[in-house]
Amino acid sequence: MLHLVFQSPIETAILERSDSGDVIVFLENSVLRILQKGALSDSLSRQLTTNRLCVLSDDISVRGIMAEELVKGIEVIDYAELVDLTIKNTVIQSWC
């Protein structure tokens, strides 16, 4: 399953609803909550052991966030990779 997270602040319940192997993509203002020094950094690090976590490159760029500031292991993807994820995952859950 593909989870598209737009919500900010990100509720930990969203992360808890993902199954092992799910892909979670952070978009829009949710990218502000996935920084290394953020309150969710420990939860996100644990999540990386069972899930693929991604962020859209344009969303961090427009907010002045560098990839090095993100929780280690979160992948920075572009629009083409996002489209590819939507094609590969038949079930998509949006969290707005």
Side-chain angles (χ1 to χ4, degrees):
M1 175 184 278
L2 176 62
H3 299 267
L4 302 176
V5 180
F6 298 88
Q7 182 177 345
S8 181
I10 301 166
E11 299 294 332
T12 55
I14 292 173
L15 300 175
E16 293 168 357
R17 290 191 172 151
S18 66
D19 290 327
S20 181
D22 285 355
V23 180
I24 303 170
V25 180
F26 299 97
L27 304 158
E28 297 180 357
N29 283 335
S30 73
V31 304
L32 300 171
R33 303 282 295 179
I34 60 172
L35 301 174
Q36 287 179 25
K37 296 181 181 182
L40 291 178
S41 62
D42 290 339
S43 295
L44 293 168
S45 293
R46 283 191 299 276
Q47 197 81 31
L48 281 162
T49 63
T50 58
N51 300 94
R52 181 178 173 195
L53 304 183
C54 305
V55 62
L56 194 60
S57 59
D58 286 353
D59 283 335
I60 62 170
S61 176
V62 78
R63 288 162 180 81
I65 298 171
M66 308 263 299
E68 298 79 26
E69 296 177 86
L70 302 174
V71 170
K72 299 230 183 291
I74 294 179
E75 300 174 45
V76 179
I77 62 171
D78 61 19
Y79 279 109
E81 292 168 298
L82 178 61
V83 170
D84 189 47
L85 286 173
T86 62
I87 293 169
K88 290 180 180 177
N89 291 276
T90 57
V91 179
I92 300 173
Q93 173 67 54
S94 292
W95 302 95
C96 299

